[in-house]
Amino acid sequence: MNKLENLKAKFEADVEKMKKTEKDREKTIGIRQQLEGQLTENNLVKAEFDLLEDDANVFKLIGPVLVKQDLTEARQNVQKRLDYIGTEIKRVENMISDHDKQIKEQTEALTKSQAVLKQQLAIHHAQAK
């Protein structure tokens, strides 16, 4: 019976590990969605800046105050944010791929563990009769 209990405990631990990985994946997908929202917003700002003449007045909201900002500097800041967001999206996509790979591996391990557990349960039931 000890071997059977160990198999059950391992199987349950593996199930918990997989649930954690799936939860981490969902959290990472949420982060990606936030980044995509920021990317869209910054692309809109960039498009608006591209419509402006070089001598246009641009203001930046800092706390409750609007502060005049140089258009070239504002364009550079938006481009830097776009570059950063793009890099972060790639990093998060890699994390999601890693989670997918882990889930696939854990699913395969669980399938094998489940088969061994069923086999041991069958042996145990046959011995009990």
Side-chain angles (χ1 to χ4, degrees):
M1 186 72 171
N2 192 16
K3 183 176 182 180
L4 187 58
E5 289 174 1
N6 288 340
L7 286 172
K8 284 181 182 179
K10 183 186 181 314
F11 181 76
E12 289 171 3
D14 289 346
V15 168
E16 288 304 313
K17 184 178 178 183
M18 185 164 168
K19 285 181 183 178
K20 183 186 179 312
T21 303
E22 288 173 337
K23 188 175 182 179
D24 290 346
R25 181 182 182 277
E26 292 304 314
K27 183 177 177 183
T28 306
I29 288 172
I31 292 169
R32 181 184 64 188
Q33 289 171 339
Q34 288 176 334
L35 288 168
E36 288 173 352
Q38 292 173 1
L39 182 67
T40 300
E41 182 179 316
N42 280 278
N43 276 324
L44 289 171
V45 171
K46 183 181 184 301
E48 289 297 318
F49 280 169
D50 290 344
L51 297 174
L52 297 176
E53 298 292 327
D54 290 337
D55 61 345
N57 290 325
V58 177
F59 295 88
K60 181 177 183 176
L61 185 62
I62 300 177
V65 180
L66 284 175
V67 178
K68 190 171 182 177
Q69 188 176 27
D70 179 60
L71 179 59
T72 303
E73 182 182 337
R75 284 178 175 157
Q76 289 172 350
N77 287 340
V78 170
Q79 188 57 52
K80 286 178 188 175
R81 275 194 303 255
L82 287 169
D83 294 342
Y84 172 77
I85 292 167
T87 301
E88 283 299 295
I89 287 174
K90 287 177 187 172
R91 186 182 67 80
V92 169
E93 289 287 338
N94 287 337
M95 288 174 61
I96 292 169
S97 292
D98 289 345
H99 289 311
D100 288 342
K101 182 179 175 185
Q102 288 173 359
I103 288 170
K104 181 179 178 186
E105 290 169 358
Q106 290 169 353
T107 300
E108 290 170 1
L110 277 173
T111 302
K112 289 176 185 175
S113 293
Q114 187 177 28
V116 170
L117 187 58
K118 283 181 179 179
Q119 181 183 25
Q120 289 299 315
L121 280 170
I123 291 170
H124 175 71
H125 288 305
Q127 290 174 349
K129 290 182 178 180

